[in-house]
Amino acid sequence: VLQGMAKSECHFINGTEKVRYMQRYFYNRLQFLMFGSDVGHYVGFTPYGEKWVQAANSNPQWMEERRTAVDTYCRYNYKVFTP
């Protein structure tokens, strides 16, 4: 059985004062690609992930959407995410 999974996470520190957005991609339980808003670009962990990194990091529109996800996804949904 082959399984692919993508996971988006928001990490809130002191409310919405410091927010970190992460997007991680897995294939067969192995993380091959990750975006972190604190780093600001994708990082690959396997040869396949490195190919994705080259394509994603060279697309300015895609990268701008990922970098603004802290505001458009995390801070916007803060009241939904927190109890």
Side-chain angles (χ1 to χ4, degrees):
V1 174
L2 304 176
Q3 182 181 28
M5 182 175 80
K7 186 173 185 180
S8 297
E9 305 171 357
C10 294
H11 299 266
F12 299 99
I13 301 164
N14 197 13
T16 59
E17 187 174 319
K18 181 164 172 62
V19 181
R20 181 178 183 207
Y21 173 74
M22 290 181 62
Q23 190 176 47
R24 303 183 310 159
Y25 294 87
F26 301 88
Y27 185 74
N28 283 348
R29 299 185 200 170
L30 176 66
Q31 181 175 325
F32 67 91
L33 183 67
M34 180 186 85
F35 174 84
S37 62
D38 54 344
V39 178
H41 58 83
Y42 282 94
V43 177
F45 299 104
T46 66
Y48 181 66
E50 289 296 326
K51 289 183 181 182
W52 274 56
V53 164
Q54 292 172 357
N57 288 342
S58 64
N59 184 335
Q61 182 179 358
W62 178 263
M63 292 306 296
E64 185 63 26
E65 289 176 14
R66 297 290 81 77
R67 290 183 184 122
T68 59
V70 169
D71 294 321
T72 59
Y73 180 68
C74 295
R75 285 192 175 105
Y76 180 79
N77 291 304
Y78 176 70
K79 291 184 178 182
V80 175
F81 293 143
T82 56

